[in-house]
Amino acid sequence: MLAAAGFALTSCSGGGSNSEKPLDPEKPDTPVAEEIDPPINEPSVAPKARINDGRHATAYVTYYGSLIPDASIITHINYAFAELYMVDGVYKKFDLQGSKARFQNIVNLKKLYPDLKICISFTHGVANSDNKQGGSFSALCKSEDNMKRFAEDCLKFLQDYNLDGVDLDWEFPGLSWSGAACDVTCDTDNYVKLVKQLRETFGDKYTISYAGYCFDKQTTTGGYRYVDIKAMDEYVDYVNIMAYDFDAAPHHHSALADTRAYRDCNRAVNAYLNAGVAPNKLVLGIPFYGRHSFSTSPTALSYKSIINLDPKKYRRNKWDPVANCAYVETMQGVFYMGYDNPKSIAAKGDWARKKGLLGLMYWEYDQDDAKGTLRTAVWNAVMTP
């Protein structure tokens, strides 16, 4: 395994998904608001100097995005996505989603920023017109031959494009929110077999990470669902915890610590710490969007859309000191959506440093505003001594 450097000088112990999650009906109704009068748009802030001790400021960059990332304030890029081609239970290949030129433009950033790490992120879903849903990871992992050939294809791809590793985004073993097959009898165990095969094929030269949920594996009728955190830990370098979409209005979807919400960052991270994962193998996810609902339009809004909401209808940059998060409310004082702004990102960064976490990641780059307000906030939160 590759050694992971800590996000803090000292530490103490404790797809995303935007699909519907079960909600707890017995929660209080509204956040406690702190009245503030912030400017309509956040002021520009200069990036802090880079600290080269292995900290992560990770951007998910999508195939459908249009922007070339500012890699001066990014340590890692996870390119989303590549998808599996499964036919009648047999692995055929994987391929990038979207334009190959888009992918190559991102890879070319390494020429300008040699220290930039770029990983290919694999989805459980299907987007390419020449492919159809054939069971994806659930089907792949039912065959040792499938997994070996997939791992060999990954290794060749990393070598061909001078990439740094793979990031797996199976949402989730034993539970499908993407329309792909799932099998509660074996998915959770098979995910461990997959990362074990990747590690055996890669050795220590390339990194392996996965997009983590807010729970450890859980029993369900006939088997398990979600990820076996402890078993995976032996083979992966770090986990990108999707610390968002925990709830919907009138609650925050990415609160730092808020028992009114179905889940929060604190409880999500503790799931990993309690399973025995070292803090310096955990990367905390930051959403560059707000969550209103899982079913009612608009379900979510990007940060760049939030700052352009009609000020005659909405008040943004409201602050909830309990959740340590910003939110939008209607002019009638109704909670509309929770979201992250520079103040909440700074709070999460401070909390993560004190926990000894490896860093922060965000989904996704193109949802930021034109100034790069949130990505700069993430960088500064990570690079604070």
Side-chain angles (χ1 to χ4, degrees):
M1 291 295 293
L2 300 177
F7 177 26
L9 299 179
T10 59
S11 66
C12 58
S13 61
S17 166
N18 58 1
S19 302
E20 187 168 5
K21 299 176 176 59
L23 303 181
D24 181 354
E26 296 185 4
K27 298 192 291 284
D29 293 330
T30 56
V32 178
E34 179 181 284
E35 293 297 332
I36 54 177
D37 244 339
I40 295 300
N41 293 307
E42 306 286 355
S44 295
V45 177
K48 294 179 183 292
R50 179 187 295 266
I51 299 175
N52 293 311
D53 65 356
R55 304 177 188 214
H56 282 219
T58 301
Y60 274 88
V61 176
T62 64
Y63 75 91
Y64 52 81
S66 60
L67 301 177
I68 299 300
D70 176 3
S72 69
I73 53 172
I74 297 171
T75 62
H76 295 68
I77 288 176
N78 287 340
Y79 187 83
F81 289 108
E83 65 182 51
L84 303 177
Y85 284 64
M86 298 294 303
V87 179
D88 297 327
V90 178
Y91 167 74
K92 298 298 183 180
K93 65 173 185 175
F94 72 79
D95 203 358
L96 293 167
Q97 294 181 335
S99 164
K100 304 301 188 294
R102 165 75 172 161
F103 171 70
Q104 188 62 61
N105 285 337
I106 303 304
V107 172
N108 288 343
L109 288 169
K110 289 174 73 74
K111 298 176 183 177
L112 299 174
Y113 300 93
D115 293 333
L116 177 67
K117 307 299 183 184
I118 300 180
C119 298
I120 183 67
S121 188
F122 286 88
T123 178
H124 195 47
V126 166
N128 290 345
S129 60
D130 66 340
N131 194 16
K132 63 181 180 180
Q133 184 55 259
S136 198
F137 285 119
S138 184
L140 175 84
C141 295
K142 289 185 175 180
S143 161
E144 289 187 8
D145 181 64
N146 281 345
M147 290 189 288
K148 286 180 181 178
R149 289 190 292 112
F150 170 69
E152 290 166 358
D153 284 354
C154 286
L155 177 60
K156 184 176 186 304
F157 188 82
L158 298 179
Q159 293 169 337
D160 287 349
Y161 287 98
N162 188 30
L163 300 184
D164 299 281
V166 300
D167 175 64
L168 304 174
D169 189 10
W170 182 352
E171 299 182 35
F172 286 100
L175 178 70
S176 178
W177 288 332
S178 59
C182 66
D183 189 338
V184 298
T185 68
C186 59
D187 279 355
T188 297
D189 289 341
N190 283 351
Y191 203 5
V192 179
K193 294 177 182 178
L194 176 60
V195 293
K196 182 176 185 289
Q197 180 63 64
L198 288 169
R199 178 55 64 205
E200 291 174 353
T201 302
F202 292 177
D204 286 344
K205 184 174 181 181
Y206 299 100
T207 62
I208 303 169
S209 63
Y210 68 90
Y213 192 41
C214 58
F215 292 110
D216 200 348
K217 72 172 185 178
Q218 294 188 343
T219 57
T220 189
T221 303
Y224 292 94
R225 60 183 180 183
Y226 307 135
V227 180
D228 187 336
I229 293 173
K230 183 176 178 60
M232 295 281 280
D233 186 50
E234 180 179 353
Y235 306 108
V236 303
D237 295 275
Y238 52 90
V239 184
N240 294 300
I241 302 176
M242 296 184 289
Y244 35 77
D245 281 349
F246 293 150
D247 210 327
H251 305 108
H252 290 275
H253 82 110
S254 185
L256 181 52
D258 186 355
T259 57
R260 299 165 304 183
Y262 177 65
R263 211 69 174 164
D264 56 32
C265 297
N266 182 59
R267 282 176 283 171
V269 168
N270 281 340
Y272 291 82
L273 299 178
N274 292 339
V277 180
N280 66 355
K281 292 183 70 173
L282 301 177
V283 182
L284 182 71
I286 306 288
F288 278 16
Y289 63 94
R291 169 66 62 188
H292 172 65
S293 168
F294 293 113
S295 58
T296 303
S297 183
T299 56
L301 288 178
S302 66
Y303 178 75
K304 61 187 176 184
S305 297
I306 289 172
I307 64 173
N308 288 317
L309 284 170
D310 187 345
K312 295 180 181 178
K313 296 181 180 179
Y314 301 97
R315 299 185 185 97
R316 72 170 196 87
N317 257 7
K318 302 292 291 183
W319 183 255
D320 180 353
V322 174
N324 271 297
C325 264
Y327 66 98
V328 178
E329 70 177 11
T330 67
M331 298 304 286
Q332 292 74 38
V334 177
F335 185 98
Y336 187 65
M337 64 172 54
Y339 71 102
D340 274 286
N341 68 357
K343 183 176 179 180
S344 67
I345 291 172
K348 288 179 177 179
D350 182 65
W351 177 84
R353 286 193 305 277
K354 290 175 180 176
K355 283 275 193 181
L357 271 55
L358 185 56
L360 305 177
M361 70 83 170
Y362 47 91
W363 178 273
E364 47 90 6
Y365 188 91
D366 273 48
Q367 292 178 319
D368 199 0
D369 64 14
K371 298 190 300 187
T373 296
L374 297 192
R375 57 185 178 263
T376 302
V378 168
W379 176 264
N380 286 347
V382 169
M383 296 303 163
T384 296

